[in-house]
Amino acid sequence: MLRKLLIILAVPVLLVVVLALLLPLFIDEKQLLEVATEQVREKTGATLEVNGDMSIALLPHPALSLGDVSLQMPEETEPGLRARKLAIGVRLLPLLAKRVDVSRIDLDGVQVNIVTAPAPAPLDTTKLSDAELKAFYQRRREAIRQAGKSAGAAEALAIPLALNVGKLTIADSQVTVGEAGSAKTTTVQIVDLQASDLNLQGRAVPLQAQLKIPGERPMTLVLEGRFTVDKDDQTLGIEKLAATIEGALPQALQLQVSGTAQLQEQIADLALSATTGDAKAEGKLRYASFESPQVDANLHLNRFTPALLALAGPGAAAESGDGTAEAEAGDTPLPLDALRVMDTRARLQIDEVDWDGHKVHNLKTLLRVVDGYAGLPTVTGEVHGGALDMQANINAKASTAMVNAQGSLTNVNIDAALRASGVQPVLSGRATLDWKLHGEGNTSNAITRTLRGPIHLTTENAVLTAVGVEQTLCKAVALVNRERLSNSLPDTSAFQQLQATVNLGQGRARLQPLTAQLADVGLTGEGQMDLLSLDFDATFNARLRQSLAKLDPACRVDERLTSIDWPVQCQGNVSGEPKKWCSLETDNILRDLTEGELKQKAKKKLGNALDKLFGN
């Protein structure tokens, strides 16, 4: 496609060269057209046709004007270029000296049709074995290496003529790109484009353009800036380029870019800043087609934005196989194909990230993705008033992906964390967690089912806001004592100590164990929760203290009540009503106490009878 564009670019200059050679001879228009057509065919292999008017003007400046111009590309069935009007102006004095100095080129109503080779079949690596994936990575590295050799061996700016144009104007034009054998095309409309002092000698070229891309999501691109092109050094310099893109994101994207590009090596080193809505980013980005990493970025963002996903590079945007044969309803396949073609390194500092409802502030991380391995060797930040310090990776080099994560979250606000998770805030206070988890699979559900490892939880000033543990037990004690409560009891539970270890495995989170201390009650418990359905069941054993009586005289306890376990059964779903989760088996307690008292009485009577029998 680049060769075709260069040919199109060179044709107006060729026409000017012909005009410069023949104008002093006052040759007629027909002969000029014949010579120009032959020169275009000889230099480019393309066929030039002029079906409209043709005129040559000498005053006030020499100019060639052509109407209904078409250019047939070599071996193409469709015209490569068609224009309603092509006007070329040259400066007189250089022309008389047989030297071309183009003052302007005006193109109107241009239609460029570019037909590319068929796109390769959609990439689908999900069916490859471990050995086939290993060979896939080797072939890809070798293909990149060979492409780098080929690119470096030829000039990217191998235009047959030096391009020196005072001003280029293109209006009401469009470029259509389609694949051979496919009816699907992409059209770029050139509403207006103006460039001054086009040259290949490194002088600055001012550029202004307005482009549109129609479709289901139409986009508009407005450009303004200055660039340089040096044919000898094969470099493209961007002094300053400002772009406004509308339609790609919910809000307009403002970009400012500067830097240089080595055209032979296909390397670009850019400084950039971007703004969309209230999201801003700035930093540096290096793109190198034939190096590793291909994309190397160092960016600071005030907020995370989906536009950042462009860091993945062009390979990540390739179509992938559906990979959903094993996916269940609501399941999400991992982006295995994208991971296996990306080669990206990014150092990121983000002031605020909305991480699935959780606001993470001052996030700093290093990302490395290559050959199916995506690693985050460090992730730090502040979330819900606590400190996050973790590392994680997804290893998709082999046919089954492996996921690993470990880290800690220190002194986090429990209430805020639960609200952000969409769970009713049944607990308040501060918590510290640390974890070391592993999972495997190619979908989110598969990873959840295989996730294993411990999570340790400790709390500070924890208060169970939805359930009054002491209230529930006090009512049970009053029932045992056959007395009525006279005081209003708290419907919350303030923990002096609360800690737990949760072990993940086989799709479940197992509480092994939980220990808690309230002012008047001690708790131990075990239970489990299904990680997919979030259904849970647990059993807690409560041990009462005699201080429970200070809540209400009816709650007084004696040795017979402090010596037994009071079982509390809890079950339900995390999304359910907390007040309905737990219940105390009062009937069983009364039965056990009654049986115990009867046994004590029988034992006492038996003891008395024995004493009498033996004369004691």
Side-chain angles (χ1 to χ4, degrees):
M1 186 173 72
L2 177 61
R3 175 177 175 273
K4 296 173 183 178
L5 290 174
L6 294 177
I7 290 174
I8 292 170
L9 189 63
V11 167
V13 184
L14 275 170
L15 295 177
V16 174
V17 172
V18 174
L19 176 64
L21 295 174
L22 300 181
L23 190 59
L25 302 177
F26 298 99
I27 195 166
D28 63 28
E29 297 170 359
K30 182 178 179 181
Q31 188 172 358
L32 174 62
L33 180 59
E34 291 176 354
V35 175
T37 301
E38 182 58 34
Q39 287 292 311
V40 170
R41 182 183 294 111
E42 179 181 334
K43 297 292 185 181
T44 68
T47 301
L48 174 68
E49 291 185 4
V50 179
N51 299 313
D53 296 334
M54 175 178 177
S55 63
I56 300 175
L58 297 178
L59 297 174
H61 303 289
L64 172 65
S65 180
L66 305 174
D68 194 7
V69 181
S70 66
L71 182 70
Q72 178 73 41
M73 291 296 184
E75 302 178 1
E76 294 286 345
T77 58
E78 295 288 332
L81 177 147
R82 194 174 189 90
R84 286 193 301 267
K85 182 180 178 181
L86 167 62
I88 306 169
V90 295
R91 295 180 176 87
L92 180 59
L93 292 180
L95 189 61
L96 295 176
K98 303 282 182 78
R99 183 169 56 85
V100 178
D101 193 344
V102 181
S103 59
R104 64 183 302 121
I105 296 177
D106 297 324
L107 289 161
D108 182 74
V110 177
Q111 293 185 354
V112 178
N113 296 318
I114 300 174
V115 180
T116 63
L123 178 65
D124 184 2
T125 62
T126 60
K127 305 297 190 298
L128 301 181
S129 65
D130 292 353
E132 290 170 331
L133 282 169
K134 184 177 180 180
F136 167 79
Y137 299 133
Q138 292 176 340
R139 288 195 305 269
R140 186 170 180 274
R141 285 192 293 269
E142 181 61 22
I144 292 175
R145 189 177 69 84
Q146 293 298 332
K149 284 185 177 182
S150 301
E155 289 190 353
L157 290 176
I159 298 176
L161 298 169
L163 179 63
N164 291 282
V165 178
K167 186 172 184 179
L168 170 67
T169 301
I170 303 175
D172 192 21
S173 302
Q174 68 179 33
V175 178
T176 302
V177 180
E179 296 178 6
S182 173
K184 185 177 181 180
T185 60
T186 300
T187 298
V188 178
Q189 297 175 348
I190 305 174
V191 179
D192 180 66
L193 185 149
Q194 298 183 34
S196 303
D197 191 20
L198 270 70
N199 69 91
L200 303 179
Q201 287 77 47
R203 298 192 305 274
V205 178
L207 171 70
Q208 291 180 324
Q210 181 180 357
L211 311 176
K212 290 186 176 181
I213 302 176
E216 293 183 4
R217 295 183 60 186
M219 290 190 293
T220 300
L221 171 64
V222 177
L223 297 171
E224 184 174 1
R226 294 162 62 90
F227 68 91
T228 62
V229 180
D230 192 315
K231 182 177 182 295
D232 294 331
D233 293 340
Q234 294 287 294
T235 59
L236 169 67
I238 302 174
E239 293 186 1
K240 183 179 180 181
L241 179 64
T244 301
I245 305 171
E246 295 182 345
L249 295 173
Q251 294 176 294
L253 176 64
Q254 307 281 345
L255 288 172
Q256 287 194 348
V257 181
S258 61
T260 60
Q262 301 294 326
L263 300 178
Q264 279 186 340
E265 291 83 4
Q266 297 185 27
I267 297 174
D269 289 289
L270 304 174
L272 58 87
S273 64
T275 302
T276 177
D278 58 355
K280 299 178 181 179
E282 60 181 12
K284 296 182 179 180
L285 185 145
R286 175 181 173 87
Y287 176 78
S289 293
F290 312 117
E291 295 182 1
S292 181
Q294 289 181 315
V295 177
D296 196 353
N298 190 341
L299 297 178
H300 178 200
L301 299 90
N302 69 329
R303 288 180 52 207
F304 179 79
T305 169
L308 185 64
L309 299 178
L311 289 177
E319 294 185 31
S320 63
D322 57 21
T324 59
E326 299 177 358
E328 302 172 0
D331 201 0
T332 304
L334 295 183
L336 299 179
D337 294 333
L339 290 174
R340 288 164 179 167
V341 298
M342 287 168 58
D343 192 348
T344 297
R345 178 170 60 196
R347 287 163 293 276
L348 304 176
Q349 180 178 346
I350 309 176
D351 295 340
E352 180 182 284
V353 179
D354 190 337
W355 204 338
D356 197 19
H358 299 274
K359 300 286 187 180
V360 183
H361 300 277
N362 196 27
L363 179 71
K364 296 179 181 179
T365 185
L366 173 65
L367 168 68
R368 184 67 173 105
V369 185
V370 62
D371 288 349
Y373 179 87
L376 292 165
T378 175
V379 180
T380 61
E382 302 162 6
V383 55
H384 303 309
L388 172 67
D389 187 356
M390 63 171 288
Q391 54 186 277
N393 64 71
I394 299 176
N395 189 343
K397 286 178 174 286
S399 55
T400 300
M402 309 291 291
V403 178
N404 301 281
Q406 65 181 50
S408 64
L409 187 57
T410 306
N411 201 32
V412 67
N413 185 308
I414 301 173
D415 182 88
L418 292 176
R419 290 181 186 275
S421 300
V423 177
Q424 294 193 49
V426 296
L427 191 67
S428 64
R430 294 279 173 172
T432 295
L433 301 95
D434 63 79
W435 61 88
K436 190 172 184 180
L437 305 176
H438 312 276
E440 60 184 64
N442 295 339
T443 70
S444 58
N445 282 1
I447 292 172
T448 300
R449 282 192 293 264
T450 60
L451 204 59
R452 61 193 183 280
I455 302 174
H456 301 289
L457 166 71
T458 58
T459 65
E460 183 178 349
N461 300 323
V463 177
L464 187 62
T465 58
V467 178
V469 174
E470 291 167 314
Q471 178 195 75
T472 301
L473 291 168
C474 194
K475 289 180 178 179
V477 172
L479 183 62
V480 172
N481 292 334
R482 295 179 175 87
E483 297 183 16
R484 291 181 179 272
L485 296 172
S486 57
N487 295 333
S488 177
L489 302 178
D491 55 4
T492 61
S493 304
F495 291 97
Q496 297 176 337
Q497 179 188 6
L498 174 61
Q499 61 186 27
T501 296
V502 179
N503 284 295
L504 303 185
Q506 298 179 337
R508 293 182 176 274
R510 291 177 171 83
L511 190 61
Q512 297 174 325
L514 174 142
T515 59
Q517 296 294 331
L518 295 91
D520 307 306
V521 177
L523 288 174
T524 59
E526 294 185 352
Q528 61 182 3
M529 181 179 70
D530 188 283
L531 294 177
L532 291 178
S533 67
L534 300 184
D535 292 331
F536 67 88
D537 63 83
T539 300
F540 300 97
N541 293 317
R543 280 291 178 120
L544 308 183
R545 301 189 182 97
Q546 292 185 348
S547 59
L548 188 67
K550 70 177 182 290
L551 297 177
D552 192 286
C555 300
R556 66 185 182 279
V557 295
D558 53 26
E559 291 184 2
R560 65 188 183 121
L561 299 182
T562 58
S563 63
I564 64 172
D565 291 329
W566 293 67
V568 181
Q569 298 292 332
C570 297
Q571 63 180 3
N573 188 278
V574 170
S575 62
E577 176 57 46
K579 291 185 180 298
K580 298 180 179 179
W581 285 348
C582 298
S583 62
L584 183 63
E585 300 295 335
T586 310
D587 293 341
N588 293 337
I589 295 173
L590 289 172
R591 185 180 63 250
D592 292 343
L593 286 173
T594 301
E595 291 177 357
E597 290 175 352
L598 291 175
K599 290 179 180 178
Q600 288 295 331
K601 290 179 179 179
K603 184 177 180 181
K604 185 176 182 180
K605 289 182 179 179
L606 178 61
N608 292 335
L610 291 173
D611 288 342
K612 291 178 179 180
L613 178 63
F614 292 102
N616 294 325

